[in-house]
Amino acid sequence: MDARRGLSSRRRLLLGLGAPLLLGAAGLGYAVWPEAESGEKVRTDLGPLNRRFWTALGDVSGAHWLGYSNGAPLSETADDRSVPSPDSRMRLVGVAHLQQGTANRIMRDPAHHFEVSSLAGLPVPLKPYVPSSAAWKQSETYDKVALEEGLSVIPSGTFRFDGIRDLVYFDYVFLYT
């Protein structure tokens, strides 16, 4: 009988020590996991981007992007995990490669006056995918025309192009239905 009691005491001791150690290890793993820092996962799938931007940009490749509920925080310091917003707008922000020559073809269109621009407010998770030496150009008229093409609800946003690398940076808000 004493042998049984000793065995169950050891099990209780091991459970008493093991459970907190396992929970602590799981918490530490979550804290150091790359996505846990910002709560934002960089996506690389192309389907949603090609469906949304095809008429304006053609097929994109090599994309790195984030998708947010418009009520969600999107800043360098944001780490707000709260109740989802009733706002049904979605925001897509990211960078993608265009087919060769597409960026220069778009920027040469005389209907749009492209000017040198910067990427203010770039989300931290995207920084590794955006070349620091990119020469970004933007046109407000291009943004307006490109975003209203074929859509029943006019979204808002901007496109910036780097003609040297055939890159597009997009920051786009649309009504999610």
Side-chain angles (χ1 to χ4, degrees):
M1 184 106 157
D2 285 331
R4 274 188 169 288
R5 197 175 321 153
L7 185 60
S8 65
S9 294
R10 274 184 272 159
R11 284 185 184 161
R12 276 186 275 177
L13 177 66
L14 288 175
L15 278 174
L17 291 175
L21 287 174
L22 284 175
L23 286 173
L28 180 63
Y30 178 77
V32 298
W33 195 259
E35 293 166 17
E37 259 182 42
S38 65
E40 301 153 352
K41 182 178 181 198
V42 175
R43 295 177 61 173
T44 58
D45 50 325
L46 302 176
L49 301 180
N50 283 325
R51 283 190 299 276
R52 182 85 34 210
F53 300 136
W54 190 84
T55 56
L57 303 172
D59 287 327
V60 299
S61 63
H64 293 90
W65 60 283
L66 301 166
Y68 301 90
S69 163
N70 203 46
L74 181 61
S75 70
E76 294 188 11
T77 58
D79 190 19
D80 184 17
R81 297 169 196 230
S82 60
V83 176
S85 167
D87 192 341
S88 61
R89 292 176 296 166
M90 293 296 295
R91 184 174 183 184
L92 304 179
V93 65
V95 64
H97 288 275
L98 300 171
Q99 292 177 1
Q100 186 175 359
T102 301
N104 283 321
R105 179 182 49 78
I106 290 170
M107 290 189 295
R108 278 194 307 264
D109 187 335
H112 311 294
H113 177 70
F114 280 86
E115 296 178 350
V116 175
S117 182
S118 65
L119 298 183
L122 177 67
V124 172
L126 292 177
K127 285 187 178 184
Y129 308 106
V130 177
S132 60
S133 61
W136 299 107
K137 292 187 177 183
Q138 177 189 7
S139 165
E140 289 181 21
T141 57
Y142 178 81
D143 291 344
K144 185 176 179 183
V145 170
L147 291 170
E148 68 185 21
E149 208 169 299
L151 299 171
S152 58
V153 176
I154 298 174
S156 64
T158 63
F159 294 102
R160 289 180 176 87
F161 297 94
D162 175 23
I164 295 168
R165 294 172 186 82
D166 266 316
L167 286 176
V168 62
Y169 173 83
F170 53 89
D171 190 342
Y172 172 81
V173 177
F174 67 98
L175 184 65
Y176 181 74
T177 56

